Every structure is written in structure tokens, then in C-alpha cells.
Amino acid sequence: MPPAKRGPRFSVQDVIAAIQDGESDFEMESEDSDTAMSEEEADEDVCGQVDKVNQQPNDRPVSDYVDIEPQPHKHTKPHDRYRWLKKYFISPKTDFAGPGITENVIALHTPLEYFQKFVSEDMIQALVTNTNEYSFQKNGTSINTNTKEIEKLIGMYLKMCLVQMSGVCMYWETDTRYSLVSDVMTRNRFQYLLTSLHFVNNLTVSEMGKKDELWKVRPWLDTFREKCLQVVPEEHNSVDEIMIPFKGKFSGIKQYMRGKPNPWGFKVWVRTGVSGMICDFDVYQGSVNGIRAKSELGLSGDVVMKLASTLPEGQNYKVYADNYFTCVPLVVKLLHRGIHYVGTARQVHLPNCNLEDEKSLKKKGRGSFDIRVETNHNICAVKWYDSRAVTLVSSFAGPDPVQKIPHWNKANKTYVEVERPSIVGTYNKYMGGVDVLDSFTAKYKFPMKSRRWYVYIFCTPSSLL
């Protein structure tokens, strides 16, 4: 078969010039009508050539018939895998399958029995050994303390937490003498023990071990944490931070947190139950050798995953945290372990989730809310407006059932009923465990001064009991 003949070809410039001049009768004649292009094919050819011209960079000459290579396929970014839709949220089945509260758990103990559950005889003996060794290394003579004396020392500190005075010496002075402290031990012996108190043998710690900022108190912290992990966890757990007050200059892990009652000190990540009972904790040390490890969850998400890793998997435990910790990848990873999550969230941590803005919700009035559901993992995001807008994310709690609760109206100076989504009530009910722990710690912690920063960390677990 002879090759088909094509009509004359026109350059791109000719076609564009003809269109700009308004020449509607501009035609492409063909020598063979059977092989000539149809009008639609001609239009497609012209549009294709014009598109090729428009795709050329400005610094390159335009060729009449240059084929442009197709653009490579763009990979899906991590935040593009979340697809949010405005639809009804179907809450999954989250019946708690963990261990129940038995009679042995709720049985009342004497203060000494309760104390010995967290501070064992082995911990006291290790403290005695290291204190005697340190005093000999420092002064050339051993302080010769024993377990009974160390127990008295801790008991005296706990009494000082209950009856607080402006200085340690006041417990032994004539006018302010407190017999439950002064009759147990002399003032000089008490202060001498405090200055010699030690938790590790400095000579046996390797250089690698000293890279840990908490190496001076690490054995005590690890053992105390093991005791906390033996506490039967509650179904609902909250994660937050507490501050151990410290303003000294001899620590590399001191932090500043604006807005806290004690902004300077040591930051401790804590997981507690609703009752405020401490279950797990981790003292924040900052970056390691000036390098901070990067992960998809970030620092805050890694904290929640670490503290939740000590919860049993697949038993529908619930974890609550504020907007500093919340992100969608965190909720997804917890779901993979059979742990559900509720937390307030920042809009920047909700990719592709286009909730209504605060202005539009404010026009609708107090109690209005907007909802989006992530369809790939069944995660619910609710933005609720009361006095201001707040966004919450959950893998099991949604807006239904909507409750009506009385809220104070400043303008009318009276209570009005405001609609509140169920997810807000769930968060308010179970989130405050760490705050309860922090308030108890502040009430029963004696502000004893010391130049040794690790003494402050040692005293805090004692006040947590």
C-alpha cells in the first residue's frame, strides 16, 4: 500500500499569527481529501503544538516541532495519604479487655507498706553502699551510714513536706522545734548525710555511661520506674509533662517552660491514670551530642509512643494528651497497637483536614461544631466553638451524642445551655491525671536547697508517693 500523503504543515508561529489576526478562513489544504486531517484532528494538533510552546522555558529557543518529554510521576507526600471527608463518624468497638481492679489492688496498706512497694530494701541498700563509698572518696573517711539511718532520713524529709518551714535549721531551733524531725536525728548528722548522699560509684562508671546526663542518679531512677510499671494501669491514661523546680547552674538538662508555675527546672514526661497514680515517666535530656533524632512523629509523638509502649497491646487502652503531642501519624501508630487516642490538636498537625474556620463557627453561635472523618483509618476530627474554637482528634470518640451543658454568659450574667460534642466531654473527664499528680507533688514537696542537681530529682519521686 502506498504511504498516505499529508497536507502541508504550518509552523506554530504561522498558526498563532493567523489566530491573532482573526482569519477565520485560515484553512489547511490537502492534496488528497481521503488522507486529509479532519477539523477536530487539526484543532488537536494546533492545541498540542501551542501547549508545547507554552511549556518551553523562557531561556530556551522555541523550535517548531519539538517533542517535550512527559513529566515524571510525582511521589505521594506523607501528608497526602490522609483523606478527610465530612461524613458521619462510626465509632469502633472499644470494650476494655485489660485486667480489672481486684481486691488486692484496692486493698488499703499502711503508709510503710505502700512506701516499700516503690522503694524496696535493695534500693535502700544500694544507696547506703554508694553513700559510704562516696564519703570515703571525698573525705578520706566513711560516713558509716546504714539502711535504718537512710530510712530515717527519707522519713524526716517526708515529715518536712507535711509541715513546711522557711529553712531546714528551723526544725531544730528552740522556738520552732518540730519534735517528729528533731528527735529522730541531730541537725549536723542530717546535713552531713545530705551532702554525702550518692546513687552510683563514680569510679566504676565508664566514659560511655557518663554520656548519659542522668548517670549520677540513673540506677535509682531505673529501679523506681520498674516499681511504677508494676502498678496495674487504668483503662484511661493521660500523658503530659511536669517540672521539677531547679535554678542552679550545675546541670546540662535544665529547661525553661514559659507559663509554668516553676518555669526553670527538669522536664519529666509522665503517664498516669485518671486517679493521678504514676505509671511511667521519662526525664527529658534534650538532644544527644547536639544531634536531635528526626522521626515522622517528632519529639512529642515519640514521647507518647514511648510511654504507651509499656501498655499491653490490643486491649483497648485509651490515651489522652494535649495539642503539643497530637498528630495524625501518632493516632495511626497507636491504633496499630490496639490503643485508642483522644487529644486536642493544632490545625498544622491535621494535613488536608479543611475544618471550618473560627469566624464561621462564631457566626453560628456557641456550641456549633464541624466534623471531618479520615476514611483510611476512621479517625474523627471535631472543631467546637464555645468561647473560642478548639479542635480535637480521636480514633474512637466522635461528636455523638451531643449534650447540652450550662455555661456562663458574661453578657447576660446567667447560665445558658450550650451544645457540647461527646468527644469534648470525654477529653475533659479523663485528661487531668497528670495535673492531679502535679498538684499533689507541689503540695507535699519541701523546697530544700542543694548545689547538687540530682538531689532534686531524687526528692521528687519521694514526694510522688
Side-chain angles (χ1 to χ4, degrees):
M1 178 182 293
K5 295 182 181 180
R6 296 179 60 89
R9 302 189 69 181
F10 297 87
S11 66
V12 176
Q13 287 82 352
D14 294 337
V15 176
I16 296 175
I19 294 174
Q20 293 176 348
D21 294 339
E23 297 178 7
S24 59
D25 58 344
F26 183 82
E27 295 180 355
M28 294 181 294
E29 299 179 357
S30 174
E31 297 179 358
D32 188 352
S33 59
D34 295 335
T35 59
M37 291 187 296
S38 64
E39 292 182 0
E40 294 180 357
E41 292 173 342
D43 291 340
E44 291 177 0
D45 184 69
V46 171
C47 294
Q49 297 295 337
V50 173
D51 289 342
K52 292 177 182 179
V53 173
N54 294 335
Q55 291 176 3
Q56 293 289 339
N58 295 331
D59 57 344
R60 292 182 59 188
V62 178
S63 178
D64 291 349
Y65 306 106
V66 177
D67 294 330
I68 304 300
E69 296 181 359
Q71 296 293 330
H73 177 71
K74 294 183 179 180
H75 295 285
T76 303
K77 296 181 180 180
H79 65 270
D80 292 337
R81 64 176 177 263
Y82 303 116
R83 185 167 177 263
W84 298 88
L85 296 178
K86 188 170 185 178
K87 55 179 291 188
Y88 182 78
F89 176 71
I90 301 177
S91 179
K93 186 177 181 181
T94 59
D95 295 338
F96 183 59
I101 303 299
T102 62
E103 295 181 359
N104 294 331
V105 175
I106 63 177
L108 296 178
H109 299 281
T110 64
L112 179 59
E113 291 174 343
Y114 180 74
F115 178 83
Q116 290 176 343
K117 277 183 166 294
F118 295 90
V119 182
S120 63
E121 295 181 0
D122 295 337
M123 296 172 65
I124 298 294
Q125 184 58 52
L127 185 57
V128 169
T129 303
N130 292 314
T131 299
N132 288 332
E133 291 177 348
Y134 176 73
S135 63
F136 182 79
Q137 296 168 7
K138 180 181 178 181
N139 304 319
T141 57
S142 174
I143 196 173
N144 289 327
T145 187
N146 51 51
T147 56
K148 190 65 176 179
E149 193 173 37
I150 293 298
E151 289 175 352
K152 290 181 179 179
L153 175 71
I154 298 176
M156 293 170 66
Y157 173 76
L158 295 177
K159 285 293 185 181
M160 291 178 178
C161 294
L162 296 175
V163 181
Q164 297 189 11
M165 299 185 185
S166 57
V168 175
C169 296
M170 295 185 66
Y171 292 91
W172 284 269
E173 293 180 359
T174 304
D175 296 336
T176 57
R177 182 182 180 86
Y178 185 52
S179 59
L180 295 180
V181 172
S182 59
D183 293 347
V184 175
M185 189 183 300
T186 63
R187 183 191 63 183
N188 292 341
R189 182 63 179 178
F190 177 79
Q191 293 179 336
Y192 188 29
L193 278 174
L194 284 180
T195 57
S196 302
L197 205 62
H198 227 64
F199 308 91
V200 66
N201 189 342
N202 295 349
L203 300 180
T204 60
V205 180
S206 63
E207 292 298 325
M208 183 63 67
K210 289 184 179 180
K211 290 183 178 181
D212 180 10
E213 295 285 350
L214 296 167
W215 68 272
K216 282 185 174 291
V217 73
R218 174 60 67 188
W220 178 273
L221 280 180
D222 289 345
T223 310
F224 182 76
R225 180 172 178 262
E226 291 176 1
K227 300 296 182 181
C228 293
L229 293 176
Q230 295 177 7
V231 176
V232 178
E234 303 176 39
E235 177 183 0
H236 303 277
N237 295 261
S238 58
V239 174
D240 208 344
E241 75 276 348
I242 62 174
M243 291 293 290
I244 300 177
F246 178 72
K247 292 185 178 180
K249 301 179 181 179
F250 303 99
S251 175
I253 60 174
K254 183 178 66 174
Q255 302 288 323
Y256 175 79
M257 291 192 65
R258 184 179 60 181
K260 292 290 184 179
N262 299 291
W264 287 102
F266 306 113
K267 183 190 294 185
V268 185
W269 311 113
V270 181
R271 174 174 63 84
T272 69
V274 183
S275 61
M277 177 68 70
I278 183 171
C279 298
D280 198 1
F281 67 92
D282 181 46
V283 182
Y284 177 60
Q285 300 187 50
S287 59
V288 179
N289 297 327
I291 301 175
R292 180 170 294 173
K294 295 182 180 180
S295 70
E296 181 185 8
L297 303 180
L299 169 64
S300 56
D302 290 339
V303 168
V304 178
M305 288 300 300
K306 182 177 181 179
L307 296 180
S309 64
T310 52
L311 287 173
E313 297 185 11
Q315 297 184 7
N316 291 329
Y317 281 93
K318 284 83 175 178
V319 175
Y320 302 80
D322 59 25
N323 58 20
Y324 176 73
F325 302 91
T326 304
C327 64
V328 180
L330 170 64
V331 183
V332 174
K333 285 199 172 185
L334 287 175
L335 271 177
H336 292 163
R337 299 188 67 251
I339 299 174
H340 294 277
Y341 183 89
V342 177
T344 55
R346 304 172 185 175
Q347 186 62 44
V348 294
H349 292 165
L350 302 177
N352 299 335
C353 185
N354 299 320
L355 291 163
E356 290 188 38
D357 58 8
E358 186 170 351
K359 289 184 179 180
S360 61
L361 291 176
K362 186 177 181 180
K363 291 180 181 179
K364 296 180 180 180
R366 295 179 66 178
S368 59
F369 64 90
D370 189 24
I371 178 176
R372 294 292 187 276
V373 178
E374 205 286 313
T375 57
N376 295 330
H377 305 92
N378 196 34
I379 298 173
C380 178
V382 177
K383 192 170 187 177
W384 176 61
Y385 182 82
D386 185 19
S387 57
R388 61 182 182 88
V390 59
T391 304
L392 296 99
V393 176
S394 175
S395 58
F396 76 96
D400 296 326
V402 179
Q403 303 170 334
K404 289 188 177 181
I405 56 173
H407 274 203
W408 179 255
N409 190 323
K410 291 183 179 180
N412 300 331
K413 295 183 178 180
T414 183
Y415 284 96
V416 295
E417 287 190 344
V418 176
E419 290 187 346
R420 186 185 68 181
S422 177
I423 185 175
V424 180
T426 302
Y427 178 82
N428 292 339
K429 183 177 181 180
Y430 299 112
M431 174 55 194
V434 178
D435 294 334
V436 172
L437 174 69
D438 200 11
S439 63
F440 287 164
T441 304
K443 292 179 180 178
Y444 300 107
K445 186 178 184 305
F446 180 65
M448 190 160 42
K449 296 181 180 180
S450 175
R451 296 183 65 183
R452 298 186 300 158
W453 57 269
Y454 49 89
V455 173
Y456 289 81
I457 298 180
F458 161 73
C459 292
T460 298
S462 300
S463 60
L464 295 179
L465 303 180

